[in-house]
Amino acid sequence: MFEVAIRSRFAAAHCLENYGGKCEALHGHNWVVEVGVQGETLDNVGLLMDFKVLKKHVHATLDEVDHTMLNEHPAFKEINPSSEIIARWIFDEISRKIDDPKLRVSFVKVWESEDSVATYRP
């Protein structure tokens, strides 16, 4: 099994309703996102997936939430945009964009600070 991953970033605000602490108040993060893709075979160049293509999909997804209030995004209208939920949303969005049955998103990690990360795997 081969796996490639890239990291990217976005800035956004959110609040966690019914949290019972400071995170209930509006606040922002400079989020770091890592996306991994895996598959069994390489192409004729020796690549699992071109990093350029993976970056294009990740940037297109993150551009949708960059410099926004996450709670106002349609994906988070009914659920708190916690790091865990954001990781799952990014996973689903990237999975829809990859049009190759030999590849699958293996994980998404979302850091809301340099010491706090949430990971989503299928």
Side-chain angles (χ1 to χ4, degrees):
M1 183 72 62
F2 296 97
E3 185 173 58
V4 297
I6 62 124
R7 279 192 186 174
S8 192
R9 291 163 176 71
F10 73 100
H14 72 155
C15 58
L16 300 177
E17 296 175 11
N18 303 311
Y19 174 74
K22 288 184 178 182
C23 291
E24 253 185 89
L26 177 63
H27 63 286
H29 299 284
N30 291 314
W31 308 84
V32 175
V33 175
E34 184 174 353
V35 177
V37 174
Q38 65 180 206
E40 297 281 340
T41 59
L42 303 179
D43 66 15
N44 62 344
V45 179
L47 302 176
L48 176 67
M49 180 180 201
D50 191 329
F51 286 121
K52 173 178 59 178
V53 174
L54 181 55
K55 286 177 185 178
K56 180 183 86 169
H57 294 320
V58 171
H59 292 163
T61 300
L62 299 184
D63 281 350
E64 200 177 309
V65 292
D66 189 36
H67 285 81
T68 67
M69 170 57 170
L70 294 172
N71 299 69
E72 296 173 355
H73 187 280
F76 311 117
K77 284 283 190 186
E78 303 296 321
I79 190 165
N80 274 328
S82 65
S83 295
E84 295 88 343
I85 297 299
I86 295 166
R88 184 180 66 191
W89 175 77
I90 293 169
F91 181 98
D92 291 344
E93 292 297 307
I94 302 300
S95 294
R96 280 192 274 281
K97 288 175 172 59
I98 294 176
D99 187 27
D100 185 336
K102 297 178 298 218
L103 299 175
R104 72 175 192 85
V105 179
S106 50
F107 70 88
V108 172
K109 293 185 178 192
V110 174
W111 282 265
E112 64 176 46
S113 72
E114 63 183 50
D115 341 347
S116 303
V117 62
T119 303
Y120 180 79
R121 297 182 209 288

